[in-house]
Amino acid sequence: MKLQELKNIDIASKRVFIRCDFNVPMDADNNITDDRRIRSALSTIRYCIDNDCSIILASHFGRPKNGFEEGFSLKPIAKRLHTLLKQEIKMAPSIIGEKTIEMAKNLQSGEILLLENMRFEAGETKNDPELSKKLASMADVFVNDAFGVSHRAHASVEGIAQHFDIKSKAAGFLLAKEIKFFHHIVHNPTRPFVSIVGGSKISGKLEALYNLVPKVDKIIIGGGMAFTFLKALGHEVGKSLVEDDLIPEALKIMAEAKKLGVKLYLPVDVIVAEAFNEEAIAKLVTVQEMPSEWMGLDIGNATAQLFSLALRDANTILWNGPMGVYEMDKFAKGSTKISHAVASSFATTVVGGGDTADLVRVTGDEDEMTFISTGGGASLELIEGKVLPGVKALLVEED
Ligand code: AMP
């Protein structure tokens, strides 16, 4: 099976429905603070414009609860698209309302209509067949370019695809690029392959850890999840984030790594604080000397050096999850050092997960990374070896 790609189907002069991921961060005044997700969608949109298509764009944004809410409207997205594409973007008043359907029907070649936030329709997240059918009826071709939600079976992602035959649906350029990168890195990495896993909890990344251990040469564990491993090894971890029920899993992962000859790295020193805030008193201690009333919120200097040394001979690096509470400057040093170490390596570097992508932007290392994934949950599911529902609908039998 291979992914049906946009350039392999005939879209000339057709009405194309593109599911994008415009779920961008906005501040309290509805200003877009990072438009990377919008810019990432432009190549697919431009390709459709160049093929004289009339274009219907759809996306979700945030988590509105009860139908239309002005604060979750896609109007600011329409404005930014207008600025980036330098052409008018027609803003639909709804998703499948009468006026919207009429606007979609009257679209001329090269024109763009942006539907309202998909999640204003309760049927979107329930993959409601009626909603999928109505959305599909607006277009001749369906393109999924929303990697960030392709692990969800939602009406505008999965359900809609069922209404198009394989010659009338495809993955957009962004989705195809994401899938190819992760497929290559998980199945055919240039070795040594080193994976850095961090973030808050093991529970969210357990499957990914199990799937990575047999594939990598080294695995580096930092962030909050390291404390469950350290506790499993008998260390005092004080009030650090620990998932006691997962201690047996942590032991299993370490045993599996040992059996397979995979080198597993854990912090050797940590920054501990008296409380979870930036004003709290903090100090550097070895993992053998963590005070019982303190919590570990970042990796220490020796750990950053150890991890950087372990990365030195890597030819492929996959990084998901920060090394500490990077949102607070006081506990961001470890993550920053690892970001610089990854950026200055000669490896193919793939960064996945919203937090880690955010982090490398703040550290100024964004341009040095080979690939930064736009989807956190979706990239984790690919590492877990799953076929994403939004992608499954776009697979073609190979001849
Ligand atoms: P995740 O979504 O699992 O990748 O976790 C990202 C979050 O993990 C970030 O918000 C970090 O602040 C948090 N995090 C990283 N290290 C720690 C730590 N030592 N203690 C608590 N939270 C942490």
Side-chain angles (χ1 to χ4, degrees):
M1 299 288 262
K2 72 176 201 315
L3 192 63
Q4 178 69 289
E5 292 186 44
L6 186 52
K7 56 182 188 304
N8 295 332
I9 64 168
D10 175 19
I11 60 164
S13 304
K14 291 189 177 159
R15 199 171 296 271
V16 179
F17 185 108
I18 312 176
R19 176 54 157 102
C20 302
D21 178 5
F22 295 145
N23 190 24
V24 291
M26 283 193 203
D27 65 17
D29 300 316
N30 271 24
N31 296 305
I32 297 168
T33 51
D34 175 11
D35 66 0
R36 190 173 12 183
R37 283 186 166 171
I38 305 178
R39 284 185 282 115
S40 307
L42 296 182
S43 61
T44 295
I45 299 172
R46 286 204 178 103
Y47 179 81
C48 294
I49 297 172
D50 292 346
N51 276 278
D52 302 317
C53 299
S54 32
I55 300 159
I56 299 155
L57 300 178
S59 176
H60 68 291
F61 170 63
R63 294 175 189 272
K65 291 201 175 62
N66 253 331
F68 183 86
E69 277 179 70
E70 192 62 41
F72 289 102
S73 168
L74 293 197
K75 282 174 206 154
I77 309 284
K79 272 198 189 153
R80 184 59 57 96
L81 279 168
H82 166 72
T83 309
L84 294 168
L85 288 167
K86 299 182 182 64
Q87 76 168 74
E88 187 201 354
I89 308 294
K90 293 176 192 287
M91 185 68 221
S94 63
I95 297 156
I96 44 163
E98 237 171 76
K99 182 140 186 260
T100 300
I101 301 277
E102 196 59 29
M103 286 172 88
K105 212 181 276 174
N106 293 331
L107 268 190
Q108 301 299 306
S109 140
E111 288 187 336
I112 299 177
L113 172 70
L114 175 63
L115 303 183
E116 257 303 355
N117 189 342
M118 283 295 127
R119 294 200 183 154
F120 288 162
E121 284 288 335
E124 165 67 355
T125 51
K126 297 189 180 110
N127 207 8
D128 175 40
E130 274 310 304
L131 177 59
S132 312
K133 196 169 156 192
K134 277 198 187 138
L135 292 172
S137 71
M138 289 188 201
D140 311 309
V141 172
F142 170 65
V143 176
N144 180 3
D145 214 15
F147 176 68
V149 279
S150 286
H151 59 313
R152 307 271 184 228
H154 289 173
S156 67
V157 180
E158 197 270 345
I160 184 173
Q162 308 305 332
H163 296 273
F164 295 86
D165 65 49
I166 196 67
K167 292 198 172 97
S168 310
K169 60 183 172 185
F173 297 125
L174 175 65
L175 178 65
K177 194 170 154 193
E178 296 262 9
I179 300 290
K180 274 188 203 162
F181 248 100
F182 278 98
H183 192 272
H184 178 73
I185 204 166
V186 173
H187 296 282
N188 206 9
T190 314
R191 293 183 181 280
F193 176 18
V194 185
S195 181
I196 311 167
V197 190
S200 55
K201 292 180 174 174
I202 301 185
S203 46
K205 291 178 187 165
L206 195 59
E207 283 299 312
L209 282 168
Y210 274 125
N211 205 47
L212 277 171
V213 168
K215 296 196 165 83
V216 298
D217 300 289
K218 308 182 195 182
I219 188 156
I220 293 174
I221 298 173
M225 68 162 69
F227 296 103
T228 303
F229 285 90
L230 290 170
K231 187 164 181 184
L233 291 174
H235 290 289
E236 166 68 69
V237 293
K239 292 192 169 153
S240 308
L241 201 65
V242 169
E243 291 165 283
D244 282 310
D245 53 328
L246 292 181
I247 286 179
E249 304 285 348
L251 287 169
K252 231 194 265 174
I253 290 167
M254 288 190 281
E256 186 67 10
K258 191 168 182 196
K259 193 175 100 197
L260 297 170
V262 170
K263 286 143 193 110
L264 188 142
Y265 292 84
L266 287 169
V268 290
D269 62 344
V270 286
I271 307 290
V272 289
E274 280 188 312
F276 191 83
N277 66 62
E278 200 136 17
E279 282 73 44
I281 295 174
K283 61 180 178 184
L284 174 66
V285 294
T286 64
V287 293
Q288 285 77 4
E289 295 180 24
M290 281 187 71
S292 61
E293 292 301 307
W294 296 50
M295 58 183 78
L297 297 180
D298 195 9
I299 56 170
N301 304 339
T303 304
Q305 269 193 25
L306 172 76
F307 288 180
S308 303
L309 193 57
L311 288 170
R312 208 172 276 176
D313 66 344
N315 272 317
T316 306
I317 300 173
L318 175 63
W319 182 16
N320 187 307
M323 298 290 101
V325 184
Y326 77 100
E327 297 93 333
M328 299 184 204
D329 282 347
K330 199 168 191 165
F331 309 112
K333 289 198 182 82
S335 299
T336 304
K337 284 180 188 157
I338 297 306
S339 171
H340 295 335
V342 173
S344 60
S345 79
F346 295 101
T348 299
T349 50
V350 177
V351 175
D355 283 313
T356 325
D358 201 30
L359 173 70
V360 300
R361 198 163 38 87
V362 175
T363 58
D365 292 323
E366 189 176 23
D367 293 342
E368 304 298 325
M369 303 298 177
T370 312
F371 185 65
I372 298 176
S373 173
T374 54
S379 62
L380 271 181
E381 290 201 14
L382 285 182
I383 298 168
E384 286 163 22
K386 292 188 183 148
V387 180
L388 314 181
V391 171
K392 195 171 179 194
L394 307 173
L395 294 176
V396 221
E397 299 278 350
E398 282 182 271
D399 329 302

